[in-house]
Amino acid sequence: MKNIVIGIEGLVGSGKTSICRELLSKIPNSIIFHGGNLYRGIVYAFMSKNKNIKELENIDITKLMEELDVKIEFENNESVVYIENEKIEEEKLQNKETSIAVSTVANKANNMQMFIFARSIINNLKEKYNVIVSGRALMEIYPDLDYHFFITASLEERAKRKLNQYNGEVSLGELKEHIAKRDELQEKSGFYKIYENTIKVDVTECRTALESTNEVCKYIKEIEIMYV
């Protein structure tokens, strides 16, 4: 049976990363490529140099990746980001400042070479693994996705889920404003597109990442075959 590629997109804070990690245990011989974290790593590295993100308008994001020595490696069947040979923890990539900056930069930078680069990573991974990809514009990056999921949840629920991530640094009201702003930026960047083959999954009522993942798995017909 051929290996498959599953794309997980969705609204900010809808639980995409958690779903990807749960899918690892559901899909044999699978690996996660966190495409969004690679992009975040590049922007994080740029901001760490005390640079102004306004400088990133129309810049080739892949060229910037090379200049900043941002690399992607795979550990425990997940992609991780290294900057100047130092592993960057996900908490730093997911912080509020980086998140807003990424949403802003994605609307202005030249992303085409990054799409080509990401496509080559997916193709290489697919030779050995079933590939779970998270990120934005996944249908543009990899038009041959076997499944394209778009995860949704109410703004209220997404803010509640993000509250723990920020360790009490912001209030629920501030988080709702923050997420709404990122939603707006993502839409302006064209990253919330729904295609003919897109499967929308609303996880508002799901209490755990496993419940959300089970909703996604209902649509993946290969799972039953994989376990035969």
Side-chain angles (χ1 to χ4, degrees), residues 74-129:
F74 286 88
E75 300 173 3
N76 300 317
N77 287 62
E78 286 191 57
S79 64
V80 294
V81 174
Y82 279 81
I83 299 173
E84 296 179 341
N85 296 317
E86 179 185 350
K87 182 178 177 180
I88 307 302
E89 297 302 324
E90 193 165 317
E91 290 75 17
K92 292 183 179 180
L93 299 177
Q94 297 280 350
N95 68 34
K96 187 170 69 170
E97 291 74 20
T98 304
S99 296
I100 286 290
V102 166
S103 296
T104 303
V105 170
N107 191 33
K108 297 180 178 180
N110 179 353
N111 297 309
M112 189 51 61
Q113 290 303 314
M114 176 58 71
F115 289 178
I116 294 170
F117 176 70
R119 190 177 305 136
S120 69
I121 292 176
I122 296 168
N123 278 328
N124 288 334
L125 291 172
K126 189 182 178 183
E127 291 180 9
K128 295 183 179 180
Y129 303 98

Side-chain angles (χ1 to χ4, degrees), residues 170-212:
V170 293
S171 67
L172 183 61
E174 288 172 318
L175 263 179
K176 287 172 71 173
E177 290 181 14
H178 168 72
I179 291 173
K181 181 178 180 180
R182 286 185 60 199
D183 278 341
E184 182 182 357
L185 289 168
Q186 298 286 2
E187 279 203 76
K188 285 182 179 178
S189 299
F191 290 156
Y192 280 175
K193 290 181 182 176
I194 302 298
Y195 298 83
E196 186 177 345
N197 63 331
T198 301
I199 302 168
K200 290 181 71 174
V201 180
D202 190 325
V203 298
T204 301
E205 300 302 321
C206 295
R207 297 299 89 189
T208 65
L210 179 57
E211 285 186 18
S212 297

Side-chain angles (χ1 to χ4, degrees), residues 19-60:
I19 289 172
C20 287
R21 288 182 174 138
E22 290 288 346
L23 281 173
L24 270 182
S25 63
K26 297 278 189 182
I27 301 175
N29 190 41
S30 57
I31 196 166
I32 303 173
F33 173 35
H34 297 291
N37 275 358
L38 174 58
Y39 206 103
R40 285 170 179 271
I42 298 167
V43 175
Y44 175 84
F46 185 81
M47 293 173 64
S48 296
K49 303 286 186 184
N50 295 317
K51 301 265 191 180
N52 191 320
I53 61 169
K54 291 181 179 179
E55 298 175 39
L56 295 180
E57 190 165 350
N58 295 320
I59 197 166
D60 181 340

